[in-house]
Amino acid sequence: MPFQPEKIKRSHVLRAFQDIDAEKLGIRPSTKWDIVYQGKRYPPKDVGRLAHEYATGEYLWEPGGGEDTNKYFKKLGFLIVNKTKPLDDVVKALIPSYKHIITTHAEYDEIYKWEAVGNFQNHWDLAADDLVSMIDKSFPDNNNLWTSRNYYPINMLKTFAENNAPKVRTALKNLFNESFPLDERILAYQNVLNELLSEDNVIRNVSNKHHYHDARTISLLLSFQAPTKYFLFKHGVLKKFCARLEIDMPKTGDIVNQILINNEVNLLVKEILVQDKELLEIHKNRLTPNAFKNDEFNILTQDFIYSTSAYTAELPKYWLYAPGENAREWDDFYEQGIMALGWDDLGDLTQYNSKDEIVKALQNLFNTDSSKKNDATANYDFVSEMNIGDMVFVKKGTSKLLGYGIVESDYLFDTKRSQFKHVRKMNWKKKGLWDAGHNLAIKTLTNISDYPSPESNYSTYHERLMAIINGNQSSAKKTVNMDYPINTILYGPPGTGKTYKTKELAVQIANPMFTVDDDLGEVQKRNMVTNEYNRLYNNGQIVFTTFHQSFSYEDFVEGIKPETLDNNVTYSVVPGIFKEICEKADTKDASNFEEILNQFKADVIEKEKITINTGSIEFDVFYKGGKTFKINPKDSKNENPQYPASIENILQLYKGASIQNIYNPSYVRGILNFMFAEYGLKKYDSIGVQNNKNYVLIIDEINQGNVSAIFGELITLLEPDKRLGADEEITVKLPYSKDETFGVPPNLYIIGTMNTADRSVEALDTALRRRFVFEEVMPNPALLSDIAFNGFSLQEVLTVINDRVEVLLDRDHTIGHSYFIKLQSGDTDGLLNVFKNNIIPLLQEYFYNDYEKIALVLGKGFVEEKVTRKVEFAKFPKIEEPETGVIYNLITPIDDIEEAVGHLLGTSNE
């Protein structure tokens, strides 16, 4: 009988657990991976053999270890953990920080969770006559556990109870019925809520699309009903926490598996937390009289996960530390469980309020002008910046690590010690010798939490060092730099340098390590920024587009586009500019998909075709450019058929999309499997490193497009809290590809530009205004101060012109400095060309060729008065004759530009 893993259900795996627990058969411990169920650990392949036997009758398991096996259990909602990773260490390292948060953090206010459960337990009664009133009392007010912006699950539940109380009552009873498997209860409850939503839409004549009873709400109901068995859940919070443990979280829409995994992770964490008796005592003393106290620390566990993610200011910092010259004090410090600093003659460091005070003290101590800034920083950070719960990496020289540990006490000045009196107590976790490989020439006691790593596999030094210590230098998760607004629009008049500033900002975002020497001139700086911009653009990290009136959703997101091959027209779903860059930003950084795809394309072109045999079908693959391969099945009855296999669909399937959403799935899957087998394409799920690169989409003239039509349903997804991985993550189903998991990644930045002379900012689409940070870019005449001519500088010229334009029109129609910025002092030909080709045409446009106003701006060096001859008009008693006598014309050519500008400024001698 063939291997049939698709027949295995969750119930088969649970039976396997029961047999293993009953010791009905001998099993061998796994080497690296474990399945975790209700706190117990099981070897995946042995479980797989048993589950396969229950499903098919055949005791069989074919896949090898690792992801090839693990993926089957992940799909069924089972938690997979890497047993070689120090999960206990990660959690224990956060416990001091959590204690610090719940005892001292000014903004910590989470006791309401225990109070809310206590209130629920006092009022919940499904036998109550008035179900709506009972629900209202059980979930009073707008508690943010069940109410937030655009999130109203309890309100919807009360509405459904008003319509059909018996159906709601039965649905809730079934959800809480422990006689049935949890996954079945969740699905049944969701189905009933969908029916109730449809009924309510008919009753109220509305078209609500959500009942809001997602994984978060169902976990809320379960944990309130049975607080010793279930746990509260919030996807974004748990996802961040699981990243620390290197645990994969199910996607947002996978409600059943989200709840199942949440319970398992919480059980693992709880097992560690309850060992800390000090924490339990602190927790016991902080609960209020109304707080629920019999939850067996389930609420505490969820609060630990939430708080160590939400109160980021209190999360541990990571320090690099050298214990004495050439680390000679390390053995002594390790044995004593301390870390210490010198400069004992400074006395108790708490007497100093700043680094500058310590600098002065060091200068006085050594009677030198040397600033001693590095030493002052180390002393100050040791006292004021280092916190209990911070992690310290011990280094020797520039490439060796000696160990690491957790800070356990505040700073103390220990006068009993003969030297190194500045002390903190430490819980040293490991001692050894690791070769760090790359340069660690960073000053002692430096916070390296966000220091970018010199190795491309890691985003920070901390990630790299932890990977080295744990013996795995390729598994650290990557993070995204969010120092810049995620959505920005630069707006201002023409010529203010918006385009250059866009390039500069895009480079800073896409490559935070890029720097420009301040000693360089403006032109050199611009050239360096432009060169780096071009490099990032060519690499696909920056994408540029321009909105215009005919720009559409199909161009931007996705659409159906015709393609012709050998006189055959096919219609394929083609991703637009926005979807393409979203896919790049959301693809794991260590994936070799692009490299393999390009090689496959090149081979198909070179060989004219490649034949693929999947075992069930055989077909030829052709490629002549574009975004699809053409397929010719061997057994087709049609003459020379040409079926499309979209490259976009190959990528989606590679990243785990459902085969049901793929057009021509047999061919797409056949090509993907061929790339795995013949080209060495890495399995996507096996890649541990997420994409840490920032991507930038620049939208020039963003106000020229119909924003609502171009973005469509994706406008909401631009918000930071709606991005993938955020607390309120949203994914949508796209209309053409039917991709139900499309979302906007958090490492995609959008920069728009708009010219206020074309259309005012106030007229911009309101939906866009609410989702972008607006940054005004106005003329900066001061940048022209060094460009001088006979009797004036260009700073004076631009200032005078803009003062006049602002009075005659407004500040949105002023003129930017960039028209003049590249001129050299004394370059009269260049200055004449700027006026002729830029300034005068712009003023003609602004004033609709009203040369009287242009004359008021530029003066008689550019505009001349001309007396006209007397004109006799035909006589009509009710028509007023126009005035004649003087008209204004531009002077062409201008013989002396400096003299003309002198008239503009009022400094000419004529």
Side-chain angles (χ1 to χ4, degrees):
M1 182 179 293
F3 180 53
Q4 297 174 290
E6 68 277 1
K7 291 189 176 182
I8 296 176
K9 297 181 180 179
R10 184 175 172 85
S11 59
H12 299 136
V13 179
L14 296 178
R15 284 184 63 187
F17 292 158
Q18 290 174 355
D19 282 357
I20 293 173
D21 290 342
E23 298 182 353
K24 291 184 177 180
L25 73 169
I27 61 170
R28 292 178 301 172
S30 59
T31 56
K32 185 173 183 180
W33 302 98
D34 277 337
I35 306 174
V36 179
Y37 179 67
Q38 295 185 347
K40 297 181 180 179
R41 298 180 179 234
Y42 302 88
K45 284 190 282 188
D46 281 331
V47 171
R49 294 185 186 98
L50 284 169
H52 191 270
E53 182 178 26
Y54 294 136
T56 68
E58 188 79 14
Y59 185 75
L60 175 67
W61 192 258
E62 291 185 356
E67 191 59 22
D68 287 344
T69 286
N70 296 342
K71 63 184 179 183
Y72 293 103
F73 299 106
K74 289 180 182 179
K75 288 180 181 178
L76 295 173
F78 291 102
L79 176 63
I80 304 293
V81 297
N82 186 338
K83 62 191 299 181
T84 66
K85 297 296 178 185
L87 184 147
D88 284 18
D89 281 356
V90 175
V91 175
K92 288 177 180 178
L94 290 171
I95 291 177
S97 179
Y98 179 61
K99 293 176 184 176
H100 189 58
I101 290 170
I102 63 179
T103 55
T104 65
H105 198 294
E107 296 181 4
Y108 178 83
D109 184 22
E110 303 296 327
I111 299 300
Y112 75 90
K113 297 172 185 175
W114 286 266
E115 294 173 342
V117 175
N119 178 77
F120 176 93
Q121 292 287 322
N122 290 333
H123 291 97
W124 188 256
D125 179 14
L126 282 177
D129 294 334
D130 188 344
L131 189 61
V132 176
S133 177
M134 186 277 293
I135 295 173
D136 196 43
K137 291 176 182 177
S138 300
F139 297 96
D141 306 320
N142 291 326
N143 188 305
N144 65 4
L145 283 173
W146 55 79
T147 305
S148 61
R149 185 179 65 176
N150 300 323
Y151 185 68
Y152 318 104
I154 301 304
N155 286 345
M156 295 299 290
L157 190 64
K158 289 190 291 185
T159 298
F160 297 159
E162 290 175 356
N163 298 339
N164 194 336
K167 194 169 186 176
V168 171
R169 201 186 309 270
T170 301
L172 290 166
K173 285 181 179 178
N174 291 338
L175 177 64
F176 299 147
N177 188 347
E178 297 292 336
S179 301
F180 296 93
L182 178 59
D183 55 332
E184 295 178 11
R185 287 185 274 146
I186 295 170
L187 291 174
Y189 182 72
Q190 279 247 301
N191 290 335
V192 175
L193 267 288
N194 289 335
E195 294 172 6
L196 289 165
L197 178 64
S198 299
E199 292 172 7
D200 184 63
N201 283 340
V202 173
I203 292 170
R204 302 177 189 276
N205 192 26
V206 295
S207 57
N208 291 325
K209 297 180 180 179
H210 304 289
H211 49 64
Y212 303 105
H213 284 246
D214 53 9
R216 175 179 170 185
T217 303
I218 295 174
S219 292
L220 174 81
L221 293 170
L222 289 168
S223 59
F224 273 36
Q225 166 69 17
T228 62
K229 187 175 180 64
Y230 300 106
F231 299 85
L232 294 168
F233 168 76
K234 198 170 186 180
H235 177 80
V237 170
L238 189 66
K239 186 174 182 179
K240 291 177 185 176
F241 188 81
C242 284
R244 291 182 171 130
L245 307 179
E246 299 190 19
I247 291 173
D248 292 334
M249 272 291 294
K251 293 184 178 180
T252 307
D254 193 356
I255 291 174
V256 172
N257 286 347
Q258 282 183 314
I259 296 173
L260 295 172
I261 294 299
N262 179 61
N263 287 341
E264 297 297 346
V265 171
N266 275 266
L267 283 171
L268 287 179
V269 174
K270 175 178 155 181
E271 183 181 2
I272 300 168
L273 293 183
V274 297
Q275 298 173 22
D276 193 307
K277 303 305 178 185
E278 182 186 36
L279 171 61
L280 301 187
E281 188 65 23
I282 293 172
H283 170 62
K284 176 183 175 182
N285 294 331
R286 70 185 176 134
L287 293 181
T288 63
N290 295 328
F292 187 76
K293 300 179 178 64
N294 299 318
D295 63 316
E296 297 182 4
F297 305 113
N298 280 18
I299 308 173
L300 174 69
T301 303
Q302 189 278 336
D303 187 64
F304 171 83
I305 291 173
Y306 173 79
S307 297
T308 52
S309 295
Y311 296 93
T312 54
E314 300 298 328
L315 290 179
K317 300 184 184 74
Y318 302 92
W319 302 83
L320 201 61
Y321 167 65
E325 185 178 351
N326 201 30
R328 67 187 182 195
E329 306 296 332
W330 169 233
D331 289 335
D332 187 32
F333 288 178
Y334 181 84
E335 292 298 324
Q336 296 182 51
I338 64 167
M339 63 183 296
L341 293 181
W343 312 122
D344 298 335
D345 291 341
L346 289 176
D348 189 342
L349 294 175
T350 57
Q351 65 183 298
Y352 303 109
N353 297 317
S354 68
K355 294 177 186 178
D356 289 339
E357 289 184 12
I358 297 179
V359 168
K360 292 179 182 177
L362 284 167
Q363 289 174 337
N364 293 333
L365 182 64
F366 292 96
N367 191 25
T368 175
D369 292 332
S370 172
S371 66
K372 296 287 182 183
K373 286 185 178 180
N374 289 325
D375 299 325
T377 298
N379 281 273
Y380 182 81
D381 288 351
F382 191 74
V383 177
S384 302
E385 298 297 322
M386 183 176 281
N387 293 317
I388 294 173
D390 285 359
M391 182 176 286
V392 178
F393 295 96
V394 181
K395 75 160 188 167
K396 178 180 181 179
T398 62
S399 62
K400 302 297 182 185
L401 291 176
L402 302 180
Y404 76 99
I406 309 298
V407 179
E408 283 200 330
S409 77
D410 289 323
Y411 162 81
L412 59 96
F413 183 62
D414 188 356
T415 57
K416 296 179 181 179
R417 294 178 57 82
S418 60
Q419 60 178 340
F420 294 102
K421 298 178 181 179
H422 307 299
V423 176
R424 280 182 179 269
K425 293 182 179 179
M426 293 293 300
N427 177 12
W428 294 116
K429 307 297 291 187
K430 285 188 179 181
K431 183 182 181 184
L433 182 64
W434 294 270
D435 187 347
H438 282 268
N439 191 13
L440 291 175
I442 299 175
K443 296 295 182 181
T444 185
L445 208 67
T446 300
N447 176 12
I448 58 168
S449 302
D450 298 316
Y451 263 50
S453 170
E455 286 190 19
S456 60
N457 286 345
Y458 308 97
S459 65
T460 63
Y461 255 99
H462 157 247
E463 291 173 354
R464 180 165 74 90
L465 298 184
M466 281 303 297
I468 292 169
I469 288 171
N470 293 328
N472 183 343
Q473 301 191 30
S474 62
S475 61
K477 296 288 184 182
K478 296 222 171 190
T479 57
V480 175
N481 185 327
M482 296 294 285
D483 293 338
Y484 302 95
I486 201 78
N487 304 314
T488 306
I489 287 180
L490 306 178
Y491 69 97
T496 53
K498 294 185 293 298
T499 300
Y500 172 73
K501 185 160 187 174
T502 298
K503 288 184 177 181
E504 189 175 40
L505 182 58
V507 168
Q508 290 171 357
I509 293 170
N511 183 8
M513 298 297 292
F514 177 78
T515 58
V516 176
D517 191 341
D518 289 336
D519 294 334
L520 295 176
E522 286 299 319
V523 174
Q524 290 174 301
K525 289 180 181 179
R526 283 172 175 261
N527 288 339
M528 287 187 66
V529 170
T530 300
N531 290 338
E532 178 63 9
Y533 172 90
N534 291 337
R535 184 187 72 82
L536 294 166
Y537 178 86
N538 292 330
N539 288 344
Q541 233 178 304
I542 297 175
V543 172
F544 182 95
T545 190
T546 302
F547 278 4
H548 47 81
Q549 292 180 350
S550 61
F551 201 81
S552 67
Y553 179 92
E554 287 72 17
D555 298 316
F556 194 61
V557 183
E558 66 172 10
I560 296 176
K561 300 289 179 68
E563 291 186 338
T564 302
L565 181 66
D566 297 333
N567 297 322
N568 293 314
V569 179
T570 60
Y571 295 88
S572 303
V573 177
V574 178
I577 293 168
F578 182 66
K579 187 179 180 185
E580 281 188 331
I581 194 171
C582 284
E583 296 290 356
K584 286 182 181 178
D586 194 37
T587 301
K588 293 181 180 180
D589 199 25
S591 169
N592 61 344
F593 181 84
E594 286 293 330
E595 174 189 346
I596 297 301
L597 176 66
N598 290 334
Q599 183 60 53
F600 181 67
K601 288 179 181 177
D603 288 351
V604 174
I605 293 173
E606 181 182 352
K607 298 176 183 178
E608 295 186 356
K609 69 177 181 181
I610 285 180
T611 301
I612 295 176
N613 190 328
T614 68
S616 57
I617 58 172
E618 186 175 9
F619 56 89
D620 292 331
V621 182
F622 300 87
Y623 183 67
K624 294 186 178 180
K627 299 182 179 181
T628 58
F629 293 104
K630 298 304 177 184
I631 307 301
N632 188 333
K634 294 288 190 180
D635 60 355
S636 176
K637 296 179 181 179
N638 298 325
E639 183 179 352
N640 192 30
Q642 294 286 309
Y643 300 114
S646 165
I647 292 173
E648 167 73 10
N649 280 345
I650 296 172
L651 175 61
Q652 290 302 318
L653 190 62
Y654 171 66
K655 293 169 65 175
S658 171
I659 196 71
Q660 297 173 347
N661 297 325
I662 302 298
Y663 184 65
N664 284 338
S666 297
Y667 307 133
V668 169
R669 180 163 51 191
I671 293 173
L672 182 60
N673 288 338
F674 188 79
M675 290 163 65
F676 282 130
E678 301 297 329
Y679 285 79
L681 178 62
K682 297 178 183 178
K683 294 282 187 180
Y684 191 72
D685 290 342
S686 70
I687 301 169
V689 180
Q690 289 290 345
N691 198 340
N692 76 318
K693 293 179 182 177
N694 293 333
Y695 287 73
V696 183
L697 173 61
I698 300 172
I699 305 174
D700 199 29
E701 305 286 359
I702 194 169
N703 54 321
Q704 295 296 327
N706 185 336
V707 170
S708 297
I710 293 171
F711 278 94
E713 73 276 23
L714 304 186
I715 191 74
T716 302
L717 275 61
L718 299 181
E719 299 175 27
D721 63 346
K722 303 298 190 301
R723 299 285 185 107
L724 295 175
D727 289 346
E728 306 295 337
E729 172 188 302
I730 292 179
T731 57
V732 299
K733 181 176 182 178
L734 296 179
Y736 293 105
S737 63
K738 308 302 181 186
D739 180 1
E740 298 184 9
T741 60
F742 181 78
V744 179
N747 55 332
L748 173 61
Y749 292 73
I750 301 176
I751 305 174
T753 68
M754 57 179 291
N755 188 339
T756 54
D758 292 340
R759 179 175 166 189
S760 72
V761 180
E762 287 74 16
L764 191 63
D765 188 282
T766 305
L768 202 64
R769 286 183 56 82
R770 288 189 287 109
R771 292 171 172 90
F772 278 75
V773 172
F774 280 73
E775 182 178 339
E776 188 176 51
V777 184
M778 293 300 290
N780 186 0
L783 295 177
L784 310 176
S785 60
D786 293 334
I787 307 175
F789 290 82
N790 185 19
F792 60 85
S793 73
L794 291 187
Q795 179 180 6
E796 300 173 72
V797 176
L798 187 60
T799 300
V800 169
I801 290 175
N802 282 339
D803 286 345
R804 293 169 180 174
V805 170
E806 190 169 345
V807 171
L808 294 171
L809 287 173
D810 53 53
R811 67 196 305 270
D812 286 341
H813 288 77
T814 48
I815 293 173
H817 53 270
S818 65
Y819 295 118
F820 298 98
I821 196 73
K822 293 184 179 180
L823 293 178
Q824 301 292 324
S825 294
D827 181 7
T828 54
D829 290 339
L831 182 61
L832 178 61
N833 286 331
V834 168
F835 271 95
K836 178 182 177 182
N837 299 324
N838 300 112
I839 307 304
I840 291 174
L842 203 55
L843 293 175
Q844 287 174 311
E845 180 183 339
Y846 284 177
F847 294 114
Y848 299 98
N849 290 313
D850 183 343
Y851 290 101
E852 287 189 22
K853 289 188 172 63
I854 296 174
L856 290 174
V857 174
L858 296 181
K860 62 181 182 179
F862 293 90
V863 181
E864 63 180 355
E865 293 181 345
K866 183 178 180 181
V867 178
T868 61
R869 61 185 177 82
K870 181 68 174 178
V871 177
E872 293 291 336
F873 293 97
K875 305 298 183 182
F876 289 88
K878 295 184 179 181
I879 298 178
E880 182 178 350
E881 292 185 7
E883 293 183 6
T884 61
V886 178
I887 61 173
Y888 295 88
N889 290 326
L890 291 172
I891 298 174
T892 55
I894 295 174
D895 296 325
D896 189 336
I897 185 62
E898 289 180 313
E899 181 180 324
V901 173
H903 286 294
L904 184 154
L905 298 173
T907 60
S908 174
N909 293 325
E910 288 191 10

